[in-house]
């Protein structure tokens, strides 16, 4: 084990901090500017059609990202206990339960909790849990709850699913007109979608740089630098930030600079990060020269926003999210990643909190191994709750896996 | 016709019997490890008590059984240990409104109405965390006698953090602390604290109203008692013999049935 | 064999109880001419299966804790148990298996099923989650049509309007009979009723209707005043056996109102048919049946419905059952307990690994029933 730092920090991290701090400062002080400017604050799920909300000048806030913030801030377990005390099972999604805990435990919650929402917007393209979670929030805050129901796609999107989602978009548009008192402006929506497309395209290009050998970024970089893609889609700040990041990563590739000092093994990550142990966990890999060159999670935000009628385009984009699709689709995606990024293996985080992501991993793992001949490791943990993390058993597995890969 | 009343509490780890006289006073009591056949242990303990008092089986008018083994024990009536615990505690502490009972496999928080009727209760999930069994496993991992872990934990300098909710995971955490060289007292403080935290969280489901009585085998553990009092932010009353209170409640019910 | 006492010795009743405890295990030998099609949720349209000339068979896990390699331990035992039966080969005779998209686990199980059992034998129907509104109805209707077509491909018999009408009629009859049994519920042993209702999800539809019709007089004869039993409402997901209902009965309770997925919720909802538009009838029925926690109509829809049901049946308390790792019901339990309590109905939330209620559950239930008295 080397004492030396085996990991190269990005200069853009400074800009990242500035960008995210600005977003959360605006969020925290929304009560001073939101009402005067007629800009309501919405709590939204990560897969909610934020472009439409932004077109109505709504300020979106992401409780899922807040869940990750709580986790890296080491308060998830206590927040979850507060929710468990209210009767919520400890087997439920810990983003959701820590968020519910943060409503009462403002004493320990980061930023004393997220500011009170004027409305809630949930889209079930990522899971069924968000509906139950947002129902609980709607009961607590007594504010309108708008739900976009994107039917699960066993195969390709069907005409009826597309039509159903488009109809809901129209309904949502008129609800938003009522809530915000603003008229729907298609031009504004197109402008926001243009910015969103620019952000996601930049993110896709940055990620594709990691096809280079050695890779300019490691999994932890992707996890950390994904923050703006979650909260700043459809904004100029998002575009500005990812332009900078793209320049730096492109520069690294041109100079042959690697994220890891000594990249020996290239891996693909599947599932949300293990936030409570982010660095500790990935260090087990970096210290043996194993780099996570890409992943399915942060890749979920590299979606393409199609041309054409804006509502139809949004309907397709948000219904075709990878978590709303079959294991077959997900396996093909992972196989493509392994091939495009010349990976030697893949690691699946079996995430107790996220059933739609995790329950299908074993059939995916087998299929991917069969088709690529590349080995896959499964580690069970939780994206936010340190109570589900078993240090020694995980260390053993990781070590054995890397030894088998020749690290 | 007999003049004595018997309460039998066959728990997962310990079997307790309490014999009341006609006036409702405790005439005799006994406890033993349940082992494989709690029913036989209960019979043996009862026979011993009667022997000691020079009584015959026919002197017992009514028997009420409670605890895990209650269903197969030949009693006049079987009742849940929650109802019996409430009754026993209300008898000993008429002002009690909340009972925290941590036993071998269960932990419970019971909110009482005046008179000892159950207003609400919460129990642990089907998992050993927050129970006596958890303490037993950790005591085993640290090679400390179960009875000593409470006092030892109070000597902790820097309490270790045991965060896992799974007993098996927690045991591996304990082992990690051991291999990192943490003193036993510090680890044990973490263990006691984890049990208390679990139960404290459960208590907010029922609400806490003073007086609060802490009972069950784990109430003898000074470390858990101290941590619980600290986390709940209030004092706890502990019965002189915290193990027999449910058996006492059963005996009181037996007397009521006569 | 069944362990429910049938004091009347009524043969039809005996058959229902036996079928219910067999959970379809001897279907091939008992109903040699029938081709069965498996399904999981009450949202799966039995009418569509019947219209395609197949018999719907509800898939229920067997006893024991199955741990198929394809699913992690933190997945519910319903999914684990049935997947394990399928990989063991005991469902090979089925024409196929249908998944009505409900929870995340069923979504995943459907995908796993396609991978392991073949795409050609797996049919997925994705009902709308948000049941209100015209867009949902017309989407649902198209999904249902697609589902019918797939079932027709599987059975080789493309269902026509007459087939649909006949199927709707058949299901309507079964639902009306189930409603009669449900009305008798306060006067009958809890486990007897749950067993009879489960049989209707296992036996060929016509056989069930005929048998239950013939058993009704015996049930009416058995019905008697429950005395001082504590009336309870039970809500929850799938219960593959009567363990919990039997325990409630043993402890002096009586299930007077039932909202379990394998219980009366499976049958509840409108039965009127529009003979001109049987497909609309089907879609409307699944839209309007009492919703499970996977669906959304109004925020307090379930608490309101269950509160009304508890009051109508004079339930003293409610038991909300959560199958371990069942997210929708675990979420639902919190507002449900609060909603029912606010109506003065004491509520016990009971977590079960599967359907079996054991020692720890007995303690909780007993204390709960004791505290109601």
């Amino acid at each position: 084990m080397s004492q030396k730092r085996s990991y190269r920090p990005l200069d853009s991290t400074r800009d990242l901090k500035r960008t995210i701090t600005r977003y959360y400062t605006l969020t925290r002080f929304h009560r001073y500017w939101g009402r005067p400017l007629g800009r309501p604050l919405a709590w939204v799920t990560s897969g909610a059609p934020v472009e439409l909300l932004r077109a109505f000048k709504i300020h979106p806030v992401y409780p899922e990202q807040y869940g990750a913030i709580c986790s890296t801030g080491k308060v998830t377990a206590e927040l979850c206990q507060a929710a468990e005390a209210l009767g919520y099972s400890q087997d439920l999604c810990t983003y959701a339960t820590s968020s519910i805990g943060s409503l009462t435990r403002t004493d320990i919650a980061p930023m004393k909790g997220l500011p009170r929402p004027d409305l809630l917007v949930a889209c079930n393209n990522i899971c069924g849990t968000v509906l139950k979670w947002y129902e609980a929030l709607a009961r607590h805050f007594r504010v309108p709850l708008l739900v976009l129901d994107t039917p699960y796609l066993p195969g390709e999107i069907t005409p009826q699913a597309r039509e159903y989602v488009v109809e809901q978009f129209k309904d949502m548009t008129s609800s938003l007109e009522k809530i915000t008192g603003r008229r729907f402006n298609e031009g504004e929506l197109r402008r926001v979608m243009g910015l969103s497309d620019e952000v996601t395209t930049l993110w896709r290009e940055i990620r594709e740089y990691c096809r280079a050998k050695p890779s300019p970024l490691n999994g932890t970089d992707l996890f950390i630098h994904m923050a703006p893609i979650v909260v700043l889609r459809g904004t100029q700040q998002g575009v500005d930030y990812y332009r900078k990041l793209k320049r730096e990563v492109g520069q690294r590739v041109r100079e042959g600079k690697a994220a890891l000092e000594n990249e020996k093994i290239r891996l693909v990550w599947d599932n949300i990060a293990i936030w409570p142990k982010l660095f500790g966990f990935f260090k087990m890999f970096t210290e043996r020269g194993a780099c996570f060159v890409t992943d399915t999670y942060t890749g979920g935000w590299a979606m393409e926003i199609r041309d054409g009628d804006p509502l139809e385009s949004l309907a397709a984009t948000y219904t075709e999210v990878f978590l709303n699709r079959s294991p077959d689709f997900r396996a093909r995606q992972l196989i493509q990643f392994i091939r495009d990024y010349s990976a030697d293996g893949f690691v699946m985080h079996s995430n107790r909190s996220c059933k739609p992501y995790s329950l299908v991993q074993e059939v995916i793992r087998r299929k991917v191994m069969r088709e690529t001949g590349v080995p896959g490791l499964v580690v069970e943990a939780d994206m936010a709750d340190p109570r589900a993390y078993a240090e020694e058993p995980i260390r053993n597995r990781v070590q054995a896996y890397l030894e088998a890969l020749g690290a | 016709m007999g003049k004595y009343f018997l309460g039998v509490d066959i728990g997962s780890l310990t079997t307790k019997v309490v014999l009341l006289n006609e006036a409702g006073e405790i005439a005799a009591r006994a406890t033993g490890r349940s082992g494989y056949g709690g029913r036989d242990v209960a019979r043996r303990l009862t026979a011993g008590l009667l022997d000691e008092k020079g009584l015959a089986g026919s002197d017992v008018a009514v028997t009420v059984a409670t605890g895990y083994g209650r269903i197969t024990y030949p009693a006049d009536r079987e009742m849940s240990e929650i109802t019996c615990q409430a009754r026993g505690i209300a008898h000993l502490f008429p002002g009690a409104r909340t009972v925290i009972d941590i036993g071998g496999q269960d932990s419970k928080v019971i909110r009482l109405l005046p008179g000892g009727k159950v207003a609400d209760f919460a129990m642990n999930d089907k998992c050993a965390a927050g129970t006596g069994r958890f303490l037993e496993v950790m005591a085993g991992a640290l090679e400390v006698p179960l009875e000593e872990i409470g006092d030892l934990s109070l000597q902790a300098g820097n309490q270790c953090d045991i965060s896992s909710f799974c007993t098996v995971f927690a045991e591996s955490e304990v082992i990690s602390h051991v291999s990192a060289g943490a003193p036993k007292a510090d680890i044990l403080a973490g263990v006691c604290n984890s049990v208390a935290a679990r139960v404290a969280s459960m208590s907010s489901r029922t609400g806490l109203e003073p007086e609060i009585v802490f009972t069950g085998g784990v109430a003898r553990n000074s470390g858990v008692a101290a941590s619980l009092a600290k986390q709940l932010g209030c004092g706890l009353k502990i019965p002189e013999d915290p193990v027999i209170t449910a058996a006492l409640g059963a005996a009181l019910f037996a007397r009521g049935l006569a | 064999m069944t362990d429910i006492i049938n004091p009347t010795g009524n043969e039809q009743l005996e058959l229902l109880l036996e079928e219910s405890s067999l959970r379809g295990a001897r279907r091939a030998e008992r109903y040699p001419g029938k081709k069965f099609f498996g399904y999981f949720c009450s949202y799966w349209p039995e009418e569509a299966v019947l219209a395609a000339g197949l018999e719907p068979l509800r898939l229920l896990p067997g006893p024991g804790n199955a741990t198929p390699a394809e699913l992690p331990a933190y997945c519910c035992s319903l999914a684990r148990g049935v997947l394990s039966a399928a990989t063991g080969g005991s469902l090979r005779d089925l024409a196929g298996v249908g998944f009505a998209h409900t929870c995340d686990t069923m979504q995943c199980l459907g995908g796993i099923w396609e991978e392991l059992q073949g795409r050609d034998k797996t049919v997925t129907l994705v009902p709308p989650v948000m049941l209100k509104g015209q867009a949902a109805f017309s989407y649902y209707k198209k999904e249902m049509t697609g589902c019918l077509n797939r079932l027709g491909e599987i059975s080789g018999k493309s269902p026509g309007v007459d087939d649909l009408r006949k199927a709707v009629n058949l299901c309507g009859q079964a639902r009306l009979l189930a409603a009669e049994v449900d009305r008798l519920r306060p006067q009958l042993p809890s486990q007897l009723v749950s067993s009879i209702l489960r049989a209707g999800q296992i036996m060929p539809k016509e056989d069930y209707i005929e048998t239950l019709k013939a058993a009704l007089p015996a049930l009416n004869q058995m019905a008697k005043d429950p005395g001082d039993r504590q009336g309870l409402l039970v809500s929850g997901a799938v219960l593959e056996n009567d363990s919990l209902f039997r325990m409630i009965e043993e402890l002096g309770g009586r299930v007077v109102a039932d909202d379990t997925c394998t219980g009366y919720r499976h049958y509840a909802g409108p039965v009127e048919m529009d003979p001109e538009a049987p497909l609309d009838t089907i879609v409307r029925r699944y839209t309007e049946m009492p919703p499970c926690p996977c669906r959304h109509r109004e925020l307090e829809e379930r608490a309101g419905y269950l509160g009304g049901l508890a009051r109508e049946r004079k339930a003293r308390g409610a038991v909300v059952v959560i199958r371990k790792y069942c997210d929708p019901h675990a979420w639902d339990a919190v507002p449900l307990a609060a909603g029912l309590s606010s109506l003065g109905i004491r509520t016990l939330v009971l977590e079960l690994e599967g359907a079996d209620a054991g020692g720890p559950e007995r303690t909780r239930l007993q204390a709960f029933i004791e505290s109601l008295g």
Side-chain angles (χ1 to χ4, degrees):
Chain A
M1 209 185 298
S2 77
Q3 287 304 308
K4 215 168 44 167
R5 174 140 73 180
S6 54
Y7 182 64
R8 192 189 309 276
L10 281 157
D11 294 336
S12 305
T13 307
R14 249 193 348 263
D15 300 293
L16 172 77
K17 280 189 184 142
R18 202 176 301 135
T19 307
I20 290 298
T21 304
R22 180 173 181 276
Y23 167 76
Y24 276 104
T25 309
L26 275 173
T27 300
R28 281 167 63 194
F29 297 108
H30 174 265
R31 62 182 181 279
Y32 298 116
W33 58 268
R35 193 156 302 216
L37 297 179
R39 297 192 52 189
L41 184 144
W43 286 20
V44 308
T45 62
S46 60
V50 66
E51 293 80 7
L52 185 65
L53 304 180
R54 289 203 184 277
F56 279 98
K57 305 288 177 209
I58 289 167
H59 182 71
V61 171
Y62 290 81
E64 287 159 63
Q65 184 172 79
Y66 183 72
I69 293 172
C70 292
S71 184
T72 49
K74 311 276 178 230
V75 290
T76 301
E78 263 186 282
L79 294 177
C80 288
Q81 276 160 13
E84 286 156 22
L86 297 171
Y88 291 98
S89 161
Q90 68 173 22
D91 299 324
L92 293 171
C93 163
T94 52
Y95 276 176
T97 45
S98 59
S99 143
I100 287 171
S102 75
L103 303 177
T104 50
R105 291 297 311 272
T106 48
D107 56 324
I108 54 164
M111 303 171 248
K112 297 194 166 68
L114 288 173
R116 188 187 157 79
D118 300 302
L119 77 153
L120 300 159
V121 184
C123 178
N124 61 4
N125 53 2
I126 51 165
C127 62
T129 285
V130 290
L131 177 65
K132 309 313 293 173
W133 173 11
Y134 276 60
E135 283 175 357
L137 293 174
R139 287 188 189 98
H140 178 85
F141 289 116
R142 297 176 187 280
V143 295
L145 165 63
L146 305 184
V147 180
L148 184 72
D149 178 16
T150 47
Y152 167 70
L153 303 178
E156 291 309 311
I157 189 166
T158 57
Q160 67 261 29
R162 189 191 302 263
E163 193 184 319
Y164 173 44
V165 179
V166 169
E167 285 305 313
Q168 293 177 75
F169 264 110
K170 289 180 187 160
D171 279 352
M172 191 180 270
T173 304
S174 49
S175 301
L176 290 173
E177 284 186 334
K178 278 187 212 117
I179 292 168
T180 62
R182 288 176 197 271
R183 290 296 302 248
F184 172 57
N185 177 344
E186 193 179 308
E188 177 62 9
L189 177 59
R190 282 182 192 278
R191 187 186 72 83
V192 175
M193 284 171 70
L195 287 169
S196 226
D197 188 45
E198 219 177 324
V199 172
T200 52
T201 303
L202 283 164
W203 182 237
R204 199 162 52 241
E205 289 164 353
I206 292 164
R207 293 169 50 78
E208 282 169 4
Y209 277 139
C210 299
R211 293 179 181 186
K213 272 186 174 181
S215 171
L217 299 175
N218 186 16
T220 36
D221 299 315
L222 295 170
F223 290 133
I224 292 164
H225 291 268
M226 74 180 276
I229 196 88
V230 178
V231 297
L232 293 174
R233 280 194 328 280
T235 67
Q236 191 58 47
Q237 297 96 293
V239 173
D240 294 345
Y241 174 70
Y242 285 109
R243 277 194 187 138
K244 268 183 217 146
L245 181 63
K246 189 184 165 192
R247 259 198 307 277
E248 186 181 0
V249 179
Q251 186 69 19
R252 275 194 179 183
V253 174
R254 278 186 295 279
E255 294 170 4
K257 271 193 190 159
L260 263 60
E261 203 89 307
N262 181 17
E263 176 186 301
K264 282 193 286 189
I265 293 173
R266 298 167 65 85
L267 298 171
V268 181
W269 175 261
D270 184 57
N271 216 312
I272 301 173
I274 305 174
W275 297 117
K277 308 277 172 182
L278 187 63
F279 291 101
F281 179 81
F282 281 103
K283 190 162 171 268
M284 293 189 287
F285 292 87
T286 51
E287 65 193 15
R288 285 169 182 261
C291 180
F292 284 93
V293 292
T294 194
D295 75 296
T296 56
Y297 175 54
T298 69
W301 274 273
M303 68 252 264
E304 270 173 84
I305 296 177
R306 304 209 187 134
D307 295 334
D309 174 78
L311 294 186
E312 284 193 16
S313 158
L314 286 177
T317 300
Y318 283 97
T319 307
E320 289 174 333
V321 164
F322 75 105
L323 278 177
N324 205 31
R325 313 201 65 169
S326 66
D328 179 56
F329 178 91
R330 300 243 315 260
R332 280 188 281 120
Q333 191 188 40
L334 195 50
I335 290 164
Q336 203 56 49
F337 278 156
I338 288 169
R339 293 191 172 139
D340 290 347
Y341 289 78
S342 327
D344 308 301
F346 59 101
V347 178
M348 297 178 130
H349 167 205
S350 180
N351 177 357
R352 289 173 59 95
S353 268
C354 189
K355 292 193 172 74
Y357 216 142
S358 308
L359 296 191
V360 289
Q361 280 174 315
E362 184 55 27
V363 292
I364 294 174
R365 189 177 79 98
R366 288 186 200 168
K367 200 167 178 154
V368 172
M369 283 173 60
R370 204 167 48 231
E371 293 213 10
T372 60
V374 147
L377 171 73
V378 178
V379 284
E380 191 182 311
D382 187 272
M383 60 196 181
D385 192 343
R387 296 176 298 173
Y389 190 84
E391 188 87 45
E392 290 308 321
I394 287 179
R395 181 179 298 283
N396 268 335
R397 274 175 207 217
V398 169
Q399 202 166 341
Y401 177 74
L402 292 176
E403 281 162 4
L405 279 174
Chain B
M1 190 60 194
K3 295 276 191 280
Y4 288 84
F5 307 98
L6 187 65
V8 176
D9 175 9
I10 306 173
S12 57
L13 291 177
T14 326
T15 296
K16 310 90 178 171
V17 291
V18 169
L19 190 67
L20 294 186
N21 62 21
E22 202 175 1
E25 294 151 346
I26 297 181
R29 62 186 181 203
T31 58
R33 259 192 104 76
S34 299
Y36 177 70
R39 199 169 19 154
D40 299 331
V41 175
R43 278 214 196 90
R44 212 176 53 235
L45 290 173
T46 307
L49 281 191
L50 294 175
D51 233 28
E52 180 193 317
K53 294 271 139 193
L55 299 169
S58 58
D59 288 316
V60 177
V62 186
T63 302
V64 168
T66 189
Y68 273 120
R70 70 189 179 281
I71 301 143
T72 51
Y73 188 81
D76 297 291
R77 187 159 171 200
E78 49 116 341
M79 298 182 81
S80 74
E81 57 263 36
I82 294 165
T83 308
C84 291
Q85 192 66 267
R87 180 68 187 267
I89 294 298
H91 180 77
L92 296 174
F93 301 91
R97 291 295 170 269
T98 310
V99 181
I100 295 176
D101 168 23
I102 311 184
Q105 279 185 352
D106 282 332
S107 43
K108 320 173 180 82
V109 180
I110 310 168
R111 206 155 45 73
L112 303 184
L113 297 170
K117 208 167 130 49
V118 175
D120 197 9
F121 67 91
M123 277 180 87
N124 62 310
D125 303 311
K126 273 197 283 178
C127 138
T131 68
R133 179 71 196 143
F134 182 83
L135 291 171
E136 197 175 74
V137 170
M138 300 312 151
L142 290 167
E143 297 177 337
V144 176
L146 187 57
E147 314 74 61
E148 291 173 21
I149 61 179
D151 291 343
L152 190 52
S153 76
L154 293 177
Q155 298 164 21
N158 260 324
Q159 179 189 307
C160 292
D161 190 28
I162 308 289
S163 63
S164 293
F165 46 53
C166 162
T167 306
V168 179
F169 283 8
E171 193 177 357
S172 88
E173 267 188 277
V174 163
I175 292 165
S176 302
H177 285 304
V178 170
S179 52
K184 276 186 186 180
D186 292 6
I187 304 174
L188 285 170
V191 167
C192 292
N193 185 62
S194 137
V195 171
R198 204 45 191 232
V199 179
S201 150
M202 203 162 71
S203 71
S204 48
R205 260 184 260 167
T206 58
L208 277 175
E209 210 187 312
E211 310 170 357
I212 303 169
V213 179
F214 182 23
T215 188
V218 177
R220 285 186 175 145
N221 179 311
S222 53
V224 175
S227 175
L228 196 55
K230 195 173 141 208
Q231 297 191 43
L232 298 177
C234 57
L236 302 173
K237 298 205 163 166
I238 297 175
E240 189 192 320
D241 186 349
V243 174
I244 59 133
T245 47
L248 171 65
L252 288 164
F253 275 119
R255 184 159 171 268
L257 287 175
Chain C
M1 283 317 292
T2 78
D3 54 1
I4 294 171
I5 307 145
N6 172 12
T8 63
N10 179 292
E11 264 176 52
Q12 284 84 11
L13 191 52
E14 197 59 44
L15 175 64
L16 291 172
L17 299 181
E18 196 183 57
E19 284 286 353
S20 172
S21 68
L22 281 172
R23 295 193 282 263
R26 285 160 70 180
R27 57 188 177 270
E29 144 205 346
R30 293 196 165 192
Y31 307 101
K34 303 283 188 191
K35 192 76 183 159
F36 288 88
F37 184 89
Y39 71 97
F40 283 89
C41 302
S42 281
Y43 278 96
W44 180 261
E46 289 185 283
E47 296 89 337
V49 176
L50 290 162
L54 302 167
E55 285 297 338
L57 172 75
R58 186 151 194 161
L59 300 179
L60 298 169
N65 186 20
T67 51
E70 294 82 3
L71 285 170
Y74 55 85
C75 166
C76 76
S77 58
L78 168 66
R80 282 189 280 116
V82 181
L83 182 64
S84 171
T87 51
S90 65
L91 303 177
R92 215 169 279 147
D93 64 303
L94 298 182
V97 168
F99 290 85
H101 185 269
T102 43
C103 60
D104 294 335
T105 300
M106 278 301 135
Q107 169 181 316
C108 291
L109 187 61
I112 293 170
W113 210 275
E114 285 191 337
E115 294 298 314
L116 299 181
Q117 306 288 311
R119 216 161 294 270
D120 51 332
K121 288 186 94 181
T122 311
V123 183
T124 308
L125 166 76
V126 187
V129 170
M130 309 303 286
L131 292 165
K132 281 175 92 172
Q134 189 52 39
F137 187 85
S138 74
Y139 161 74
Y140 205 167
K141 199 171 153 186
K142 284 177 189 147
E143 272 294 296
M144 197 67 87
T145 308
C147 171
L148 263 175
N149 293 341
R150 281 281 283 124
L151 287 165
E153 281 166 30
I154 284 177
S155 71
K157 173 181 174 291
S158 196
V161 179
D162 272 342
D163 299 310
L164 271 180
R165 240 177 249 142
K166 206 171 144 242
V168 172
N169 186 23
L170 216 50
C171 289
Q173 282 185 55
R175 284 169 195 149
L176 287 172
L177 288 167
E180 259 183 74
V181 178
D182 188 63
R183 261 195 300 280
L184 287 174
R185 187 188 281 283
Q187 286 102 48
L188 290 172
S190 310
Q191 68 271 36
L192 177 74
V193 177
S194 67
S195 192
I196 292 171
L197 294 185
R198 195 170 58 253
Q201 296 157 59
I202 288 155
M203 291 170 73
K205 206 51 86 191
E206 285 180 8
D207 294 79
Y208 179 67
I209 292 169
E210 227 170 89
T211 316
L212 182 52
K213 253 186 206 159
L216 266 175
L219 288 171
N220 274 300
Q221 194 192 321
M222 281 174 75
K224 62 166 200 268
D225 183 75
D228 57 359
R229 288 185 169 276
Q230 302 282 3
L232 298 178
L233 173 138
V234 175
S235 176
V238 168
L239 290 172
E240 63 271 23
N241 63 43
D242 308 306
S243 169
L244 175 71
F245 283 58
R246 188 181 308 117
M247 186 176 279
I248 287 174
E249 199 73 20
E250 281 169 15
L251 296 172
R254 169 66 48 90
V255 179
V256 293
D258 170 27
D259 172 64
T260 57
C261 187
T262 39
Y264 190 59
R265 194 188 326 130
H266 182 78
Y267 299 94
V271 286
E272 303 78 34
M273 170 163 61
D274 175 357
E276 298 308 309
L279 190 64
D280 288 48
T281 303
I282 298 174
V283 173
R284 199 164 303 120
R285 191 262 160 184
Y286 287 94
T287 302
E288 290 173 17
M289 70 187 272
C292 96
C294 295
R295 303 271 167 258
H296 180 104
R297 271 202 297 245
E298 299 283 345
L299 214 48
E300 304 309 335
E301 171 110 9
R302 273 184 49 79
Y305 164 72
L306 292 178
L309 188 62
R311 279 183 165 171
E312 181 197 318
R313 296 290 177 93
K314 301 191 172 56
R316 297 281 314 270
V319 179
V320 176
V321 184
I322 305 175
R323 200 181 187 100
K324 180 92 175 153
Y325 303 118
C326 172
D327 288 354
H329 279 279
W331 275 105
D332 193 46
V334 181
L336 212 50
L340 291 172
S341 303
S342 74
L343 297 173
I345 302 156
R346 287 272 310 273
T347 305
L348 173 75
V349 177
L350 193 66
E351 188 180 83
L352 297 179
E353 185 66 41
D356 289 316
E361 289 76 35
R362 194 187 168 92
T363 302
R364 289 159 172 81
L365 266 176
Q366 188 170 12
F368 179 65
I369 293 173
E370 284 165 352
S371 74
L372 292 176

